[in-house]
Amino acid sequence: SQQGEEDPQALSIQEGENATMNCSYKTSINNLQWYRQNSGRGLVHLILIRSNEREKHSGRLRVTLDTSKKSSSLLITASRAADTASYFCATDADNNDMRFGAGTRLTVKP
Amino acid sequence: KAGVTQTPRYLIKTRGQQVTLSCSPISGHRSVSWYQQTPGQGLQFLFEYFSETQRNKGNFPGRFSGRQFSNSRSEMNVSTLELGDSALYLCASSPGLAAGGTGELFFGEGSRLTVL
């Protein structure tokens, strides 16, 4: 079963705009991760945020985590056409088992 | 280091057949996880192996099985294939938390199985 649920399911923006995706999860976690997947390819790790962290940055990415609301958001600033992909959040319900959400399909129009 | 390698990349089978997929993890990684990805169900966890032991298993029927060898390479097998088994099967490796890993998974490109 899936642990996380992303919102929205699909997002279409213009190049240069910011993209925000949200993730909600159900149980306590040790960390939450975001991954990107280009069509039909493997997933690529973007960023990990631990349960005792509230915000983390990596380049144009900003992730927030609110454990009281069991939610996280991923912000991509100044988006590019190359950012077009599906984005997934993943949580470790226990340390041996990463569960993924259904993903947000992001389209960045040039 | 070479990345996670999955073979074959594409395969076509017919209902009732069985299939074996292979995954070679990144050198030094002892944990291998398998996921099934379909448009309708998304990414579903199949199982996770560490040092040849299955540590966790998802909610799949017994037709889905796997194993891990002493060199950490892993295989998964699906017997008596059904149309609904058509999917992208993804393998991911990690060092394991005890080996200093952060929990980050490193994915292969997947094996796309079509069942006719």
Side-chain angles (χ1 to χ4, degrees):
Chain A
S1 63
Q2 292 175 326
Q3 161 76 319
E5 293 293 335
E6 287 90 345
D7 168 59
Q9 290 186 338
L11 180 60
S12 182
I13 59 175
Q14 293 293 135
E15 217 168 19
E17 294 180 338
N18 296 340
T20 299
M21 288 158 268
N22 303 297
C23 169
S24 60
Y25 57 92
K26 298 173 183 174
T27 64
S28 298
I29 60 171
N30 295 310
N31 65 63
L32 184 144
Q33 303 180 40
W34 285 89
Y35 288 80
R36 185 179 93 172
Q37 183 181 37
N38 289 88
S39 182
R41 307 290 297 275
L43 279 74
V44 175
H45 181 263
L46 294 175
I47 196 166
L48 179 153
I49 186 165
R50 301 195 185 285
S51 60
N52 61 355
E53 297 176 311
R54 292 296 167 259
E55 187 172 313
K56 202 162 184 180
H57 297 254
S58 177
R60 294 184 296 113
L61 305 180
R62 172 178 170 254
V63 169
T64 61
L65 178 64
D66 186 335
T67 52
S68 67
K69 295 181 179 178
K70 291 187 170 57
S71 67
S72 173
S73 68
L74 170 67
L75 168 67
I76 303 174
T77 60
S79 62
R80 306 166 181 168
D83 294 329
T84 294
S86 292
Y87 292 82
F88 297 87
C89 68
T91 54
D92 60 339
D94 66 59
N95 289 337
N96 305 327
D97 178 1
M98 292 294 295
R99 302 285 174 136
F100 288 79
T104 292
R105 174 68 189 166
L106 174 65
T107 301
V108 182
K109 300 175 184 176
Chain B
K1 286 184 178 178
V4 177
T5 304
Q6 291 189 246
T7 57
R9 289 291 313 280
Y10 303 91
L11 65 166
I12 300 173
K13 294 284 187 178
T14 57
R15 280 181 298 174
Q17 288 187 311
Q18 67 94 25
V19 66
T20 298
L21 308 178
S22 178
C23 172
S24 293
I26 292 172
S27 177
H29 286 190
R30 296 166 66 186
S31 172
V32 174
S33 301
W34 287 90
Y35 292 85
Q36 180 197 65
Q37 186 176 32
T38 59
Q41 297 297 317
L43 272 158
Q44 300 286 323
F45 172 75
L46 280 158
F47 24 66
E48 189 259 353
Y49 288 87
F50 184 87
S51 294
E52 302 179 68
T53 299
Q54 186 183 90
R55 295 197 297 187
N56 214 339
K57 189 177 192 300
N59 189 27
F60 277 81
R63 300 186 296 109
F64 292 80
S65 62
R67 58 178 176 170
Q68 186 180 33
F69 302 95
S70 58
N71 63 357
S72 293
R73 188 177 71 85
S74 178
E75 289 181 347
M76 67 162 284
N77 184 78
V78 188
S79 62
T80 320
L81 284 166
E82 300 176 358
L83 295 178
D85 297 333
S86 294
L88 180 66
Y89 289 88
L90 291 163
C91 165
S93 76
S94 68
L97 295 176
T102 60
E104 175 184 349
L105 296 179
F106 296 81
F107 281 84
E109 292 293 337
S111 293
R112 183 166 294 281
L113 170 66
T114 300
V115 182
L116 302 176

